Amino acid sequence: MEENIEKMLAGQPYRPGKDGLSEMSRKAHLLCQKYNQLPETDGKRKEILNELCPDHGDGVFLQGPIQFDYGRFTHLGKNFYANFNLTVLDTCPITIGKNVMCGPNVSLITPLHPLMYQQRNPRMQADGEVDTVEYGAPITIGDNCWLASNITVCPGVTIGNGCVIGAGAVVTKDVPDNSLVVGVPGRVVRKITEKDRLNNYPY
């Protein structure tokens, strides 16, 4: 793997326009567009998903529309489900466990940009190309989590197993197992316990 791509995946400063990264992302965007144009019952969606996100378990269903930056750097666990408008910016690895559910408008965001505009703005590089510099941090979501609607998970966050992230939350820091998170920024309000089990619901 090219050094620039290795730096990207490791969360180090890298150049997004170098070593074929632009071509990779454009291919992923095209695959997303094709996926979004197909009815949810069309079997070709599975073929596109296999090409876009080859690292996925069985039973994955993405309602669509979807938007992945690369797709190939994301692991979707068994029985992953996403409602409308899933956005996945996987410049760093994104790892999602089994039986994870996402409501509409969930965004998983790994990229970061320099705070100093002198580093953030496009500039001439040593090789004569005009390019930008970015970096990022990976996201991990454990098993059996539910992310409700309009949620943003920020770079570098790990969400433990069995968590529920309430609607509209912006998750900026790690979340322990079996936690209920709400708010902006997201905060743990309590543990999820047996008291939360629905009465008279057979399981």
Side-chain angles (χ1 to χ4, degrees):
M1 186 180 294
E2 296 289 347
E3 181 182 0
N4 189 56
I5 299 175
E6 291 177 350
K7 287 181 176 180
M8 180 185 79
L9 295 174
Q12 300 172 6
Y14 74 99
R15 295 172 57 186
K18 189 174 173 60
D19 295 335
L21 284 171
S22 294
E23 290 77 9
M24 279 190 223
S25 62
R26 282 196 289 267
K27 180 180 179 181
H29 299 167
L30 180 59
L31 289 170
C32 290
Q33 183 181 31
K34 290 180 178 180
Y35 186 95
N36 296 336
Q37 291 173 341
L38 293 173
E40 61 189 66
T41 55
D42 195 317
K44 291 181 181 177
R45 272 190 162 198
K46 185 174 181 181
E47 297 175 16
I48 294 172
L49 181 61
N50 288 340
E51 186 174 359
L52 176 65
C53 296
D55 185 12
H56 69 80
D58 296 332
V60 170
F61 182 79
L62 310 179
Q63 181 71 51
I66 59 172
Q67 189 63 54
F68 283 76
D69 219 356
Y70 295 100
R72 66 180 68 193
F73 304 128
T74 295
H75 168 77
L76 303 176
K78 182 179 179 181
N79 298 325
F80 175 72
Y81 169 82
N83 210 312
F84 302 108
N85 296 319
L86 174 70
T87 299
V88 180
L89 303 187
D90 55 344
T91 59
C92 276
I94 294 178
T95 305
I96 300 174
K98 63 184 179 182
N99 302 317
V100 172
M101 299 171 59
C102 292
N105 304 312
V106 168
S107 296
L108 309 178
I109 311 296
T110 69
L112 291 159
H113 298 272
L115 295 181
M116 298 292 294
Y117 73 86
Q118 294 91 340
Q119 294 180 309
R120 185 173 61 245
N121 292 345
R123 59 181 175 165
M124 184 73 70
Q125 304 294 329
D127 58 9
E129 296 182 9
V130 176
D131 205 352
T132 58
V133 175
E134 299 178 9
Y135 66 111
I139 289 173
T140 300
I141 299 173
D143 298 338
N144 303 307
C145 291
W146 172 34
L147 282 65
S149 61
N150 300 302
I151 286 170
T152 299
V153 180
C154 292
V157 166
T158 294
I159 297 174
N161 299 317
C163 292
V164 175
I165 312 299
V170 177
V171 188
T172 61
K173 59 183 180 180
D174 291 353
V175 178
D177 291 351
N178 303 310
S179 295
L180 175 61
V181 174
V182 299
V184 180
R187 67 189 189 282
V188 176
V189 292
R190 65 178 177 86
K191 284 287 187 182
I192 298 169
T193 71
E194 279 296 316
K195 293 181 180 179
D196 293 303
R197 189 177 297 277
L198 297 178
N199 293 330
N200 303 315
Y201 183 79
Y203 187 78

